[in-house]
Amino acid sequence: MKSSKHLQQFVEQVIMEQQERPLYTAIVVDSLGAMKMRREMQKQDLAVDRWLTSNIHPAHGNQQLSHHMTITPGSLKPTDSLRMRLNQDVTVRVVGWGFDRSLGVAAWQVEPITGFPVKSGVPHITAQMENETVKPFKAAKIKNWRKLAEPFTVHGTFKIGRASCRERV
């Protein structure tokens, strides 16, 4: 019975992807997790003064920061075994913080999650940008990460993200 449910989800996902090009496949953090990351940023004194922490430029779909950990840009290939894990709930352990003033971006470092290989370097969740013109994916280029004094966990769901279905947190 479980495999028929997965097959149905797979078919529905492929149909939706044909209707609108996915921007990313990611673990999307729930709203409580996003709020927790913003609180931890203040509590652990990590925020970069005057950098954005929530809404970003409409060109990026008004996506929220502290929103998702990208697994792969775009969609998964139809034959990718990760498709069977779509809509799966995932616990994310946040273990570090990094920022780069020259890139204009800061991010949470995430402990690698078994079964969810990240294709863009260090697993991370973009948390701050210097201004609205900075591209969130620049966080993949952060080189200097420091361990958090108090690591924490947030919860999310493995999803395919599109411009029209970005969640507001």
Side-chain angles (χ1 to χ4, degrees), residues 7 10 20 22 30 38 42 45 55 63 77 79 84 93 104 121-122 126 168:
L7 180 59
F10 172 78
E20 184 181 343
D30 64 23
R38 289 190 192 106
Q42 299 306 318
D45 197 28
N55 281 333
Q63 172 188 328
K77 293 180 180 170
T79 57
M84 298 305 280
R93 184 165 160 78
V122 174
T126 304
R168 298 255 162 129

Side-chain angles (χ1 to χ4, degrees), residues 8-167:
Q8 180 182 355
Q9 288 176 339
F10 172 78
V11 170
E12 290 172 354
Q13 201 66 45
V14 170
I15 290 169
M16 283 193 304
E17 288 172 30
Q18 291 173 351
Q19 295 172 351
E20 184 181 343
R21 186 180 70 83
L23 298 175
Y24 55 82
T25 304
I27 295 172
V28 178
V29 177
D30 64 23
S31 59
L32 290 175
M35 287 188 295
K36 184 176 187 176
M37 284 188 277
R38 289 190 192 106
R39 279 194 311 270
E40 287 292 330
M41 197 183 312
Q42 299 306 318
K43 177 182 167 189
Q44 296 192 40
D45 197 28
L46 301 170
V48 181
D49 286 341
R50 294 188 293 279
W51 280 18
L52 303 175
T53 59
S54 57
N55 281 333
I56 59 174
H57 197 273
H60 302 301
N62 285 322
Q63 172 188 328
Q64 298 291 313
L65 296 170
S66 297
H67 177 263
H68 69 273
M69 180 183 86
T70 301
I71 301 298
T72 185
S75 185
L76 297 169
K77 293 180 180 170
T79 57
D80 194 316
S81 62
L82 277 175
R83 282 188 171 278
M84 298 305 280
R85 299 181 83 177
L86 285 169
N87 301 311
Q88 178 180 332
D89 291 334
V90 181
T91 298
V92 178
R93 184 165 160 78
V94 181
V95 297
W97 177 260
F99 72 96
D100 187 317
R101 287 193 186 279
S102 67
L103 296 171
V105 67
W108 295 106
Q109 182 181 20
V110 173
E111 191 171 82
I113 302 169
T114 304
F116 292 96
V118 174
K119 302 202 191 276
S120 61
V122 174
H124 67 277
I125 299 172
T126 304
Q128 284 192 282
M129 297 184 333
E130 183 176 18
N131 59 56
E132 294 176 340
T133 65
V134 174
K135 305 264 192 259
F137 66 80
K138 295 273 188 185
K141 296 181 179 187
I142 294 172
K143 299 283 187 234
N144 297 315
W145 298 92
R146 69 176 173 122
K147 298 226 180 288
L148 294 178
E150 299 175 40
F152 59 95
T153 59
V154 295
H155 299 280
T157 306
F158 183 53
K159 296 182 179 182
I160 294 177
R162 294 171 187 74
S164 66
C165 69
R166 298 251 174 110
E167 297 175 34

